[in-house]
Amino acid sequence: MAVDMRPATAAPRAAPPGRRSLRARLARMDLKYSPYLYISPFYIIFLAFGLFPLGYTFWVSLNHWEIIGGHNFIGLRNYTRLMTDDQFWNAVVNTLGMFAIATVPQLILALMLANALNRRLRFQTLFRMGVLLPLVTSVAAVAIVFTQLYGRDYGMINWILHFFGVHKIDWQANRWGSWVAVSTMVDWRWTGYNSLIFLAGMQAIPRDLYEAAAIDGASRRQQFWRITVPMLRPTIIFTTIISTIGGLQLFTEPLLFNFGYMQGGSLRQSQTVAMYMFENAFNRFQYGYGSAVAWMLFLMILLFSLVNFLLIRRFAGGEDK
Amino acid sequence: MRVNMHRGRVGALAIVLSAALAAASACSSDDGKSDDPNGSSEKVTLNVDNFGNFGYQELYKQFQAQHPNIKINERNVPKLDDYLPRLQQWIAAGAGAGDVVALEEGIVTKFMAQPDKFVDLKQYGASSLQSNYLRWKWQAGISADGSKLIGLGTDVGSMSLCYRTDLFKKAGLPTQRDEVTKLWPTWDDFINVGKRFTDKVGGDTKFIDSPETYYNTILMQEAGKGANQTYFDRSNKFVMESNPAVKAAFDETVKMSDAGLANGVQFLSDPWSQALKKDAFATAPCPAWMLGLIKQFGGDGQKGKWDVAGVPGGGGNWGGSWLAVPTQSKHPKEAAELAKFLTSPQGQIAAFKSANNLPSSPQALNDAAVKGFSNDYFNNAPVGQIYGTTALNLKPVYLGADNQEVRQAVEADLRAIAQKKLSSSAGWNKAVSDAKKAAGL
């Protein structure tokens, strides 16, 4: 588009040359720079509350920094210590485990749900809004209710299980048990959100593709896998990356599931990396070490987002290339 | 919740902001400046930070009635484990802490090593009060370098054992407190009684509440028999491995778990108070302050079901606190007055009546109101007599600066053993290594 918004050069002839050029320069500057000015609030806020803390955290992580007695520079020693810290690796395993058993079923379920919601339904809006309801509930409320459901002695889930002859499960004390419990909380809250995003993506797929496929005799299932999934690729990449970021930063659910106990169980059965970071920084007051954990978490998220991005692009894009 | 991108930083920011807010609200009443000699008309709000149940509500009312310009605001946290990090942060940041803060025996050493952070109460006329406190209690309130009087003693723990008379009856055990005491001269006897109990009652009802309460009880007893120290010696050197008291207490607790007596819930967590309400444990070690907690969490439904017997292995002490005034307080004079008032013999008697926190003042201990006090929640047990007689002979146990962190690590492993997630044989080595990590070694 080439609409010239500059003042016409012929008109201001009468004006003194100096003023004219100042005005023109101002106008040019306005045109050139004001867009940056308009978008600057985000970047200024990001700089102050995002980038600066990120850099500062890195600086702190290079120091031995405790609550009393100042700090001294120790280079990468916090990081080398982390590499041999079994509590850290335990937290990494927990985080990845919960991420896997929460995110994979969640996205698959969301996709199915979106596919169902994409059909003609009675009370369409009601159902579509309904899946969002869990997200509106406060995370603390969700965690408290789920923690009671998973109670060892008086929880409903153990009560139901006992009809099937399953002996009481101490969900907090079992590693798998606590992973499953925390994952269900995450899924409860986020499946609906992801399915709405999928739904939005699905509605952008042209109907005639499905019609053509139907004429060619493709079944619903074939249409789903051959048309919907490949066409949804950008949406799937988006939800996967958002879920990766959220899943790896998991904090509140496991913390409340363990009754606010930052260790996350007697043997750290469900302590996530975010909890371990907090434990070091604000329970043990080793700010330097805690910052190193924070940076490892950041790198982990970058790495996993990248891996997921590449994987999904291959998986969902294999057929239309 | 999906934690957003900068969770840790947001958390830190929130803490800083809340500290700033607290500081601002503390300042807001300060416009007249407190060194004004006619300051008594100026409105002052005093924040009191404590944990558990100090039983001070009535005392606050009295103090406010005597000082109409002062308003007291208690900011209580149920668990000491949650209280310590908050307080530490506030003290180090120089803002956010209350005007009067409680320091428990397990964390007091840490703060006595930072005398510059606390007001010298001698400057506010506390020097003459020494005779109001047990000698060791007074001594322990003096900073590590001896320069300042930082803390005034509130209570001592002393030690008994609380038990459920109705459940004991169900198990065919005696229910009278003297007879119950005779059942268990030693902890091994106690475990045998527990086995008998479990055979008879069984099901969801276990014999003991959580392993850590018993562990701490036995640890303090064992420490009292030896060098009066636990994980650290008096130069704050880590001696857990070489201190027989720790090993003995650990092993005895593991025996309880192996015998299937433990409930495995974390002390003062939600499941613990749930278990208390649902009759899921029959005994709990009872330093005097525990009486108040059982009453608070047990509620009316448990009234009259509990009683208080002697503890196996003789007496002992667990717990007890001091009140201190941080230098960051804007009203050190008023705060010191309040601390003196709350820890005075009369204040300690009132706290005893309200929450059964056993006085650390000989005058209060010998007072008829304490000696003759019986607790109707605990089947009218003469708790004044039960605790009071042993308190005068208590010996203090030295708890190092990192005691609280180490204790939490060891307790977690004991819980894992009770949950059968950690083998008894591997327990000790893991506990030592976790303890070292917690101590930053």
Side-chain angles (χ1 to χ4, degrees):
Chain A
M1 204 165 66
V3 178
D4 192 353
M5 288 171 72
R6 280 172 295 184
T9 40
R13 258 219 164 172
R19 238 185 102 181
R20 185 192 58 191
S21 69
L22 176 72
R23 195 183 248 214
R25 223 181 306 146
L26 274 178
R28 213 169 26 241
M29 270 170 67
D30 176 38
L31 195 70
K32 232 175 162 174
Y33 297 113
S34 55
Y36 294 102
L37 190 72
Y38 297 146
I39 58 165
S40 65
F42 170 78
Y43 288 97
I44 290 171
I45 289 172
F46 176 71
L47 200 71
F49 297 105
L51 213 55
F52 169 72
L54 204 65
Y56 189 68
T57 307
F58 184 65
W59 159 245
V60 174
S61 77
L62 300 179
N63 284 274
H64 180 83
W65 198 316
E66 288 201 35
I67 190 163
I68 26 179
H71 58 92
N72 53 304
F73 188 79
I74 56 166
L76 292 173
R77 245 186 292 160
N78 280 328
Y79 291 91
T80 51
R81 204 180 117 202
L82 261 185
M83 292 300 117
T84 57
D85 180 349
D86 50 351
Q87 290 178 350
F88 172 69
W89 291 111
N90 168 66
V92 170
V93 170
N94 286 341
T95 309
L96 295 182
M98 284 188 258
F99 165 64
I101 59 177
T103 310
V104 175
Q106 176 193 333
L107 290 183
I108 292 173
L109 198 67
L111 200 58
M112 303 292 173
L113 207 60
N115 198 39
L117 287 172
N118 199 23
R119 305 212 182 134
R120 277 187 188 287
L121 289 170
R122 236 177 259 231
F123 310 120
Q124 214 173 26
T125 320
L126 184 78
F127 282 120
R128 287 180 182 175
M129 293 321 289
V131 295
L132 256 193
L133 273 185
L135 193 68
V136 184
T137 348
S138 110
V139 59
V142 172
I144 288 168
V145 171
F146 270 78
T147 305
Q148 288 188 350
L149 291 179
Y150 282 105
R152 182 191 65 181
D153 294 323
Y154 316 107
M156 198 169 85
I157 292 175
N158 276 352
W159 177 73
I160 291 170
L161 285 177
H162 104 271
F163 290 116
F164 300 96
V166 180
H167 195 68
K168 269 184 191 171
I169 301 174
D170 191 342
W171 294 93
Q172 274 85 3
N174 279 295
R175 194 169 219 203
W176 278 101
S178 53
W179 287 8
V180 168
V182 171
S183 300
T184 52
M185 287 182 215
V186 175
D187 288 352
W188 160 261
R189 261 172 71 76
W190 291 95
T191 307
Y193 170 80
N194 282 319
S195 59
L196 274 203
I197 301 217
F198 283 140
L199 182 63
M202 282 176 186
Q203 303 210 317
I205 301 174
R207 288 271 147 203
D208 42 6
L209 284 176
Y210 292 100
E211 282 162 21
I215 289 166
D216 286 348
S219 68
R220 272 246 156 110
R221 175 187 287 260
Q222 281 172 324
Q223 290 177 19
F224 177 73
W225 288 108
R226 302 286 169 111
I227 301 174
T228 312
V229 172
M231 294 295 279
L232 272 183
R233 194 178 65 182
T235 318
I236 295 177
I237 290 177
F238 173 78
T239 53
T240 309
I241 288 183
I242 293 293
S243 305
T244 307
I245 293 172
L248 294 183
Q249 292 186 337
L250 199 61
F251 181 80
T252 313
E253 286 97 339
L255 182 63
L256 291 177
F257 180 65
N258 287 295
F259 314 102
Y261 184 52
M262 202 57 77
Q263 267 205 14
S266 55
L267 293 173
R268 300 169 183 272
Q269 290 91 333
S270 50
Q271 185 182 46
T272 61
V273 178
M275 286 161 82
Y276 189 58
M277 165 181 86
F278 196 95
E279 185 189 5
N280 274 300
F282 301 112
N283 287 6
R284 296 176 176 168
F285 296 111
Q286 299 183 342
Y287 297 131
Y289 200 58
S291 302
V293 178
W295 257 83
M296 291 303 289
L297 181 60
F298 177 61
L299 295 179
M300 237 170 81
I301 290 168
L302 279 187
L303 181 75
F304 272 82
S305 300
L306 195 70
V307 168
N308 277 333
F309 175 73
L310 295 175
L311 275 180
I312 298 292
R313 205 172 58 166
R314 268 198 102 134
F315 152 73
E319 280 155 31
D320 69 340
K321 254 187 207 157
Chain B
M1 182 178 107
R2 304 266 158 140
V3 179
N4 64 35
M5 275 299 271
H6 308 289
R7 173 71 220 188
R9 275 143 263 155
V10 170
L13 189 72
I15 288 167
V16 170
L17 276 179
S18 57
L21 265 176
S25 61
C27 294
S28 58
S29 55
D30 186 44
D31 299 328
K33 206 65 209 143
S34 49
D35 49 358
D36 171 9
N38 303 325
S40 58
S41 60
E42 160 212 1
K43 282 267 173 246
V44 170
T45 300
L46 294 180
N47 287 316
V48 178
D49 282 313
N50 62 21
F51 53 86
N53 181 1
F54 273 71
Y56 282 163
Q57 293 311 327
E58 281 306 313
L59 288 165
Y60 294 148
K61 281 184 200 149
Q62 276 181 38
F63 191 80
Q64 287 175 151
Q66 289 164 18
H67 306 79
N69 61 318
I70 292 179
K71 210 180 138 304
I72 297 167
N73 174 31
E74 181 178 285
R75 303 184 297 186
N76 178 275
V77 178
K79 266 197 283 186
L80 178 66
D81 292 354
D82 298 334
Y83 175 77
L84 172 66
R86 277 162 46 117
L87 183 63
Q88 243 180 311
Q89 185 118 19
W90 288 334
I91 296 293
D99 300 281
V100 175
V101 299
L103 307 176
E104 198 253 4
E105 66 164 359
I107 65 174
V108 72
T109 317
K110 196 187 278 294
F111 293 106
M112 287 303 159
Q114 308 171 42
D116 55 319
K117 305 284 189 192
F118 293 94
V119 164
D120 185 3
L121 295 170
K122 280 185 287 192
Q123 289 176 3
Y124 297 97
S127 332
S128 59
L129 302 175
Q130 183 164 0
S131 59
N132 281 352
Y133 304 88
L134 294 171
R135 214 176 74 83
W136 63 269
K137 193 79 186 175
W138 174 265
Q139 286 296 331
I142 295 169
S143 64
D145 58 5
S147 65
K148 282 181 171 179
L149 175 67
I150 290 177
L152 292 175
T154 60
D155 62 321
V156 293
S158 194
M159 187 54 70
S160 285
L161 211 133
C162 293
Y163 66 100
R164 285 280 299 266
T165 50
D166 54 336
L167 296 176
F168 269 48
K169 197 172 173 189
K170 212 167 146 190
L173 294 165
T175 57
Q176 286 293 318
R177 56 185 81 91
D178 294 337
E179 288 170 47
V180 171
T181 308
K182 277 181 205 143
L183 281 175
W184 49 56
T186 68
W187 285 105
D188 284 342
D189 297 326
F190 178 79
I191 291 173
N192 287 328
V193 175
K195 285 180 185 159
R196 269 168 65 193
F197 178 90
T198 311
D199 288 344
K200 279 271 175 58
V201 178
D204 279 348
T205 306
K206 300 281 192 231
F207 192 58
I208 69 173
D209 63 333
S210 30
E212 62 252 41
T213 51
Y214 281 85
Y215 166 72
N216 284 312
T217 304
I218 305 172
L219 176 60
M220 295 304 270
Q221 284 182 335
E222 290 292 327
K225 287 179 198 163
N228 283 312
Q229 59 197 24
T230 59
Y231 310 108
F232 298 91
D233 68 8
R234 271 155 219 271
S235 53
N236 276 326
K237 202 178 128 234
F238 185 76
V239 293
M240 175 178 172
E241 290 153 289
S242 59
N243 186 352
V246 184
K247 183 82 167 77
F250 192 90
D251 288 346
E252 198 67 34
T253 314
V254 169
K255 261 195 234 169
M256 292 183 193
S257 294
D258 286 348
L261 306 186
N263 196 307
V265 292
Q266 185 177 2
F267 177 49
L268 285 183
S269 67
D270 291 346
W272 183 86
S273 51
Q274 229 173 23
L276 171 63
K277 282 203 183 81
K278 301 254 185 182
D279 312 333
F281 55 83
T283 66
C286 266
W289 47 264
M290 185 78 100
L291 300 173
L293 291 178
I294 288 182
K295 186 177 168 185
Q296 184 185 336
F297 288 105
D300 289 340
Q302 303 254 322
K303 192 175 175 182
K305 292 181 179 171
W306 286 91
D307 207 326
V308 185
V311 68
N317 181 60
W318 174 22
S321 299
W322 288 260
L323 294 184
V325 178
T327 35
Q328 57 185 266
S329 167
K330 303 282 185 226
H331 310 286
K333 185 169 158 286
E334 289 84 354
E337 280 308 314
L338 178 60
K340 274 157 56 184
F341 173 76
L342 294 173
T343 59
S344 68
Q346 286 312 312
Q348 294 195 16
I349 292 170
F352 177 76
K353 284 185 179 162
S354 156
N356 294 142
N357 292 335
L358 192 67
S360 63
S361 153
Q363 292 91 321
L365 284 167
N366 286 320
D367 192 282
V370 171
K371 274 190 160 167
F373 187 80
S374 63
N375 192 321
D376 57 349
Y377 194 88
F378 290 83
N379 207 10
N380 287 316
V383 293
Q385 206 188 349
I386 293 173
Y387 291 97
T389 42
T390 55
L392 290 167
N393 309 319
L394 283 179
K395 277 177 297 182
V397 169
Y398 178 81
L399 300 169
D402 289 329
N403 171 71
Q404 179 77 3
E405 291 84 347
V406 171
R407 184 173 70 75
Q408 284 185 51
V410 177
E411 285 177 358
D413 290 325
L414 283 167
R415 236 175 2 259
I417 293 172
Q419 292 165 343
K420 309 245 177 289
K421 295 294 161 197
L422 176 64
S423 76
S424 319
S425 50
W428 173 253
N429 285 334
K430 180 160 188 323
V432 170
S433 95
D434 287 348
K436 278 185 182 164
K437 230 170 249 165
L441 297 170

